[in-house]
């Protein structure tokens, strides 16, 4: 048993795909035409980090209720966690790509962390391992 997908409500498919693939480096796994429950056209769009099993289903907001949830899926809390092998290089690349970081990098017992916003405004933790000499007491 495993979690396969997590739905992320977005305003628009193409800009969300561009953010997750172009800025974060995710793979576009699927982008297929589909229909909503009431027969309206939509797309089935799945992105995931390279080598990951769990992916994001990018779901375009449908109606006022869903539109209001864009960027607020976790009520303002960090709700998504992206662990990377090279924290400093990834942080630098994301900053250069214009990603908004709302908390600067810091070192915690569980690793290096910085809070950023995705294209919809949801908060994510960028996580990396602590290297020798970077611990909380360093």
């Amino acid at each position: 048993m495993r979690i396969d997908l997590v739905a992320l409500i977005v305003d628009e498919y193409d800009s969300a795909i561009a953010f997750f693939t172009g800025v974060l480096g995710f793979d576009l796994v699927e982008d297929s035409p589909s229909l909503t429950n009431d027969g309206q056209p939509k797309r089935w769009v799945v992105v995931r980090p390279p080598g990951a099993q769990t992916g994001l289903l990018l779901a375009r907001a449908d109606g006022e209720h869903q539109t209001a949830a864009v960027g607020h899926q976790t009520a303002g809390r960090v709700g998504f966690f992206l662990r990377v092998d090279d924290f400093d290089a990834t942080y630098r690349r994301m900053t250069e790509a214009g990603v908004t970081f709302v908390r600067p990098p810091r070192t915690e017992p569980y690793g290096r962390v910085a809070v950023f916003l995705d294209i919809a405004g949801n908060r994510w933790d960028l996580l990396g391992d602590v290297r020798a000499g970077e611990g909380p007491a360093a």
Side-chain angles (χ1 to χ4, degrees):
M1 185 181 311
R2 63 183 163 88
I3 295 175
D4 187 46
L5 296 172
V6 174
L8 186 70
I9 303 170
V10 297
D11 285 319
E12 199 273 319
Y13 293 116
D14 292 328
S15 59
I17 291 169
F19 176 82
F20 284 99
T21 61
V23 176
L24 296 188
F26 286 25
D27 294 328
L28 177 61
V29 177
E30 186 172 358
D31 185 355
S32 303
S34 188
L35 297 174
T36 63
N37 291 335
D38 61 356
Q40 299 299 312
K42 70 173 187 175
R43 288 158 61 184
W44 182 263
V45 178
V46 176
V47 296
R48 67 174 49 109
Q53 288 188 340
T54 302
L56 295 175
L57 173 67
L58 302 179
R60 186 185 64 208
D62 183 16
E64 290 180 26
H65 184 68
Q66 290 181 18
T67 299
V70 172
H72 304 286
Q73 291 192 181
T74 57
R77 294 185 60 120
V78 171
F80 306 94
F81 303 84
L82 181 62
R83 182 163 293 277
V84 297
D85 292 331
D86 188 335
F87 180 90
D88 292 329
T90 303
Y91 177 79
R92 188 171 42 258
R93 183 179 55 76
M94 289 173 65
T95 301
E96 290 169 358
V99 173
T100 300
F101 280 87
V102 296
R103 300 276 188 281
R106 66 186 190 277
T107 301
E108 297 290 343
Y110 53 85
R112 299 270 292 146
V113 61
V115 179
F116 71 94
L117 302 178
D118 67 19
I119 190 167
N122 296 295
R123 290 175 182 252
W124 289 64
D125 269 357
L126 176 65
L127 298 165
D129 292 334
V130 176
R131 292 188 297 224
E134 289 185 340

